């Protein structure tokens, strides 16, 4: 999927990549890490404040590992979330009236569920964490690709933009006129910088009822600095990890692979945390990535268990990038839409 017409990205990216054709293969990714000190990062100090990392100490630079030359076993469906269509939304914040204006523009493939058939649907917009319903669209008949063109206004103080999220929920209406959830997506307002610029983008809906294979969650932050061509991945923390083979305890760590066209180009890993299902890592991983190859890249983030023989079991993983789906694609697209600004998201960790 071509990520660059999912989001309106700054002109520098449009000039250096092909926004309408297949992924560019003109560039080649360097696997050399040219950074000797975490102090070179600069913006990571700001990132630490935004993610409320102060209680955990300063960010540490991750350990590098040897590059792998073998072809990755990662495929286009490996480790992805369950997606159920897309919805295009836009948001703009009026600082004078303290009002958030939200528009639900259009949707694609919103009613594709195997276990049910729907002839119509509608969308509901809620403000989290209070589950306040702020708008409900008109019912759309026989609509798999539709124009909603619905607008809602939400009174919201500027400080609330750092705390609130919006949930977009699509409901199908069956033959008995029952409303059944067909897809949900949540968007954290703090990552959008709405007081400075409006936001427009496609979001991927997910079926939360099929997330039973998750074995924990991991909080990751991504940022891309186009002038230096640096991709920074911060492994912040994980929670509710479920160990392999019914173990009651384990020592987790995280491996991050940078993939280009499915090939593992670089690998870095965090320190090991002892006997902790909710580990705090707070480690930064920096990759030198030319903008011209961004469309060819993905990240595979693997949570693993350390062992004395060095061959620990993998707990599960997350795929992030244009070849992923669900939150993996949404996170990557938001990084590209808000260059230089760290974007943090929780991801479910899934078994291989």
């Amino acid at each position: 999927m071509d990520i660059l017409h999912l989001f309106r990205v700054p002109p520098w990216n449009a000039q250096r990549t092909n926004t309408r054709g297949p992924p560019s293969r003109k560039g080649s990714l360097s696997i050399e890490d040219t950074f000797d000190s975490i102090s070179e990062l600069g913006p990571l100090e700001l990132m630490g404040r935004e993610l409320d990392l102060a209680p955990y100490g300063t960010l540490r630079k991750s350990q590098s590992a040897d590059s792998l030359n073998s072809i990755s076993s990662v495929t286009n469906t490996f480790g992805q979330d369950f997606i159920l269509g897309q919805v295009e939304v836009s948001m703009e914040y009026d600082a004078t009236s303290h009002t958030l204006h939200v528009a639900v523009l259009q949707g694609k493939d919103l009613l594709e569920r195997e276990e049910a058939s729907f002839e119509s649907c509608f969308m509901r917009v809620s403000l989290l964490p209070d589950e306040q319903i702020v708008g409900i669209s008109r019912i759309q008949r026989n609509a798999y690709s539709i124009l909603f063109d619905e607008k809602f206004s939400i009174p919201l103080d500027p400080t609330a933009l750092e705390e609130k999220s919006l949930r977009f929920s699509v409901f199908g209406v069956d033959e008995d006129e029952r409303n059944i959830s067909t897809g949900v997506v949540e968007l954290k307002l703090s990552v959008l910088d709405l007081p400075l610029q409006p936001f427009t983008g496609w979001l991927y809906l997910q079926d939360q009822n099929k997330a039973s294979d998750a074995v924990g969650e991991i909080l990751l932050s991504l940022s891309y600095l186009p002038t230096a061509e640096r991709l920074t991945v911060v492994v912040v923390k994980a929670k509710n990890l479920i160990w392999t083979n019914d173990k009651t305890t384990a020592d987790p760590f995280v491996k991050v692979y940078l993939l280009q066209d499915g090939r593992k180009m670089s690998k870095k890993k965090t320190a090991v945390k002892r006997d902790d299902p909710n580990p705090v890592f707070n480690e930064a991983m920096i990759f030198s990535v030319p903008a011209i190859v961004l469309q060819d890249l993905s990240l595979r983030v693997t949570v693993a268990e350390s062992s004395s023989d060095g061959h620990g079991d993998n707990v599960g993983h997350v795929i992030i990038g244009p070849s992923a789906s669900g939150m993996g694609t949404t996170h990557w697209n938001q990084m590209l839409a808000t260059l230089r600004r760290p974007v943090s998201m929780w991801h479910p960790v899934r078994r291989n």
Side-chain angles (χ1 to χ4, degrees):
M1 178 180 294
D2 187 346
I3 60 173
L4 294 178
H5 52 298
L6 297 181
F7 277 77
R8 299 174 184 172
V9 296
W12 70 268
N13 207 14
Q15 293 171 359
R16 302 187 64 175
T17 57
N18 177 5
T19 62
R20 294 297 177 185
S24 170
R25 302 183 185 276
K26 295 179 181 179
S28 178
L29 175 65
S30 169
I31 60 176
E32 297 298 326
D33 184 3
T34 60
F35 305 95
D36 298 323
S37 170
I38 193 67
S39 62
E40 296 181 43
L41 298 182
L44 286 181
E45 181 182 358
L46 174 62
M47 184 188 302
R49 291 198 296 269
E50 290 175 347
L51 293 175
D52 194 22
L53 300 177
Y56 312 124
T58 57
L59 285 167
R60 298 180 296 277
K61 188 176 181 180
S62 66
Q63 305 174 36
S64 296
D66 293 336
S67 300
L68 304 178
N69 295 320
S70 61
I71 297 295
S72 169
S73 60
V74 177
T75 67
N76 285 341
T77 59
F78 190 49
Q80 297 180 15
D81 299 326
F82 299 95
I83 59 171
L84 291 164
Q86 308 168 43
V87 59
E88 186 183 23
V89 303
S90 69
M91 295 177 227
E92 185 172 1
Y93 186 70
D94 186 341
T96 303
S97 62
H98 292 179
T99 303
L100 176 63
H101 300 287
V102 180
V104 179
L105 303 176
Q106 57 182 319
K108 295 180 181 179
D109 305 322
L110 297 182
L111 301 178
E112 292 188 351
R113 280 181 68 119
E114 296 178 357
E115 67 272 22
S117 176
F118 304 103
E119 295 185 353
S120 60
C121 72
F122 65 92
M123 175 164 287
R124 186 179 70 193
V125 183
S126 305
L127 190 65
L128 303 179
D130 302 325
E131 287 284 356
Q132 175 189 352
I133 297 176
V134 297
I136 298 177
S137 76
R138 295 181 295 272
I139 292 179
Q140 304 288 337
R141 302 286 181 184
N142 299 313
Y144 283 83
S145 294
I146 55 178
L147 293 175
F148 281 104
D149 194 24
E150 301 275 1
K151 298 179 176 64
F152 310 104
S153 296
I154 310 168
L156 206 61
D157 290 333
T159 54
L161 292 174
E162 296 298 317
E163 306 168 355
K164 303 291 187 179
S165 299
L166 283 179
R167 173 181 290 166
F168 299 90
S169 306
V170 175
F171 292 87
V173 182
D174 66 11
E175 58 185 9
D176 296 323
E177 297 188 352
R178 294 176 301 180
N179 301 332
I180 299 176
S181 174
T182 62
V184 177
V185 62
E186 295 178 7
L187 188 58
K188 191 175 180 180
L189 297 178
S190 62
V191 306
L192 299 181
D193 210 6
L194 290 173
L196 296 181
Q197 61 182 1
F199 168 84
T200 299
W202 284 94
L203 306 177
Y204 289 78
L205 299 161
Q206 301 169 76
D207 185 354
Q208 295 182 332
N209 296 325
K210 293 185 177 180
S212 59
D213 61 339
V215 290
E217 296 179 81
I218 188 167
L219 178 60
L220 303 169
S221 174
L222 305 181
S223 62
Y224 185 75
L225 184 61
T227 53
E229 297 189 322
R230 297 181 189 176
L231 173 64
T232 301
V233 181
V234 178
V235 180
V236 184
K237 56 185 175 180
K239 64 182 180 181
N240 304 323
L241 296 178
I242 300 175
W243 311 126
T244 62
N245 302 320
D246 297 323
K247 290 195 290 286
T248 58
T249 184
D251 301 329
F253 67 99
V254 176
K255 300 177 286 186
V256 177
Y257 298 89
L258 186 63
L259 310 175
Q260 183 179 20
D261 295 328
R263 183 183 295 271
K264 297 174 183 176
M265 301 302 297
S266 186
K267 171 187 172 185
K268 299 177 184 289
K269 61 183 179 180
T270 69
V272 175
K273 298 298 180 179
R274 302 297 176 187
D275 188 21
D276 191 350
N278 302 291
V280 175
F281 297 101
N282 192 20
E283 295 196 33
M285 305 181 178
I286 309 154
F287 301 93
S288 179
V289 177
I292 199 170
V293 300
L294 279 173
Q295 293 187 78
D296 301 329
L297 299 183
S298 293
L299 293 167
R300 177 183 174 185
V301 181
T302 300
V303 180
E305 300 168 352
S306 180
S307 62
S308 57
D309 60 7
H311 297 286
D313 295 325
N314 289 342
V315 175
H317 65 267
V318 174
I319 301 293
I320 301 175
S323 64
S325 64
M327 293 303 295
T329 302
T330 299
H331 198 172
W332 187 265
N333 289 339
Q334 288 189 28
M335 176 192 73
L336 293 180
T338 55
L339 296 171
R340 302 177 182 85
R341 179 181 175 88
V343 179
S344 59
M345 281 190 180
W346 284 97
H347 294 264
V349 178
R350 303 195 187 283
R351 295 284 192 208
N352 291 350

